[in-house]
Amino acid sequence: MRCKVADFLETASGRRIAYVKTEGNGPGVVFLGGFMSDMEGSKAVALEAWAKRQGRPFLRFDYSGHGQSSGEFTDGCIGDWAEDARAVIETLTEGPQLLVGSSMGGWISALTIRAIPERIAGFIMRRQLMEEGQVFVPSGYDEPYPVTKRLIEDGREQLVLRKPLPMPFPVRLFQGTADDVVDRQVALNLLDHIDGEDLHLTFVTGADHSFSTPENLALIEATLDELLA
């Protein structure tokens, strides 16, 4: 399938970030992808189609070193990608946004929430990779992930479970019982750590780390309908 032509944002850090923006009415939705993923993945594209049906603003983008954005993957780190996320949200969206973070995108979302809480309306996270080491393990795809010293060292500086994590808006966490990358205890630890009054964690029987089956995508879409109603 041919990728949709992207637009590009030049950030203050000198990075060229590729994005696809769907116009609409009401609070917007921003999708934050996972480690070495890009904005053409099944979840990002499916949620974009959902947003179009709803007439809802939607934004998907590639971190630097990912997909169509500038830079080499091995030059980047968590802090860089969090800067990219903040730049696209602050520059390309208006008002509070509902973040949907997939895998590492949940980590990036949490850092974004901490940096610009006034721009966040809600948070849906499909799996959580905020503790040391877990985002860096091979995941069974064709090629192993390249891991740099800078990525590891920066990752340790960007951990979010060592400081208070206030989220005064709706938060929905999903964890697959067949996830062989992240242990379900990590999701429970995150649940205990977040400070919020509208916080739900759902374990999904049989769902693996990709969380990309039609049933999994329908669950995310139904949750978006609930939070944006």
Side-chain angles (χ1 to χ4, degrees):
M1 183 177 67
R2 186 177 180 182
C3 297
K4 184 173 180 179
V5 176
D7 292 312
F8 292 88
L9 172 69
E10 300 285 345
T11 72
S13 299
R15 296 190 283 269
R16 191 168 185 255
I17 304 302
Y19 70 91
V20 175
K21 183 179 179 181
T22 299
E23 301 294 342
N25 298 312
V29 176
V30 180
F31 181 79
L32 296 93
F35 190 71
M36 288 197 73
S37 297
D38 61 43
M39 63 175 170
E40 298 300 329
S42 58
K43 287 185 289 296
V45 173
L47 291 179
E48 180 184 65
W50 167 88
K52 289 179 178 178
R53 294 194 301 270
Q54 300 286 327
R56 177 77 57 181
F58 184 81
L59 177 67
R60 54 187 171 101
F61 68 97
D62 289 329
Y63 310 114
S64 51
H66 291 68
Q68 301 174 61
S69 290
S70 68
E72 296 295 327
F73 174 81
T74 50
D75 291 335
C77 61
I78 300 299
D80 293 340
W81 304 328
E83 284 184 5
D84 297 340
R86 178 173 179 175
V88 298
I89 290 171
E90 289 189 316
T91 306
L92 302 175
T93 71
E94 297 180 2
Q97 303 294 300
L98 196 155
L99 306 185
V100 180
S102 176
S103 192
M104 184 191 75
W107 186 356
I108 302 298
S109 295
L111 293 169
T112 303
I113 290 166
R114 181 170 282 164
I116 49 172
E118 71 281 0
R119 295 299 310 277
I120 311 303
F123 180 32
I124 298 174
M125 185 165 62
R126 198 264 335 141
R127 229 154 262 87
Q128 193 288 103
L129 292 174
M130 297 181 182
E131 283 296 337
E132 297 148 285
Q134 295 191 40
V135 74
F136 308 124
V137 300
S139 61
Y141 296 107
D142 293 337
E143 298 294 332
Y145 291 151
V147 176
T148 65
K149 180 180 178 182
R150 180 171 183 251
L151 178 62
I152 295 174
E153 291 178 345
D154 176 79
R156 289 172 179 159
E157 295 299 318
Q158 302 293 345
L159 295 174
V160 299
L161 295 186
R162 295 180 176 176
K163 299 178 182 178
L165 193 59
M167 294 191 182
F169 41 71
V171 176
R172 302 294 182 265
L173 312 176
F174 297 113
Q175 171 77 31
T177 62
D179 188 340
D180 60 359
V181 177
V182 180
D183 189 87
R184 65 185 66 185
Q185 186 59 49
V186 178
L188 292 168
N189 292 344
L190 177 63
L191 181 74
D192 291 337
H193 187 76
I194 293 174
D195 181 12
E197 296 183 355
D198 187 4
L199 174 62
H200 296 197
L201 167 62
T202 301
F203 286 99
V204 181
T205 302
D208 63 13
H209 189 68
S210 68
F211 214 79
S212 296
T213 67
E215 294 79 12
N216 298 156
L217 295 174
L219 177 58
I220 297 174
E221 292 175 4
T223 304
L224 284 166
D225 287 333
E226 171 206 343
L227 297 187
L228 293 168

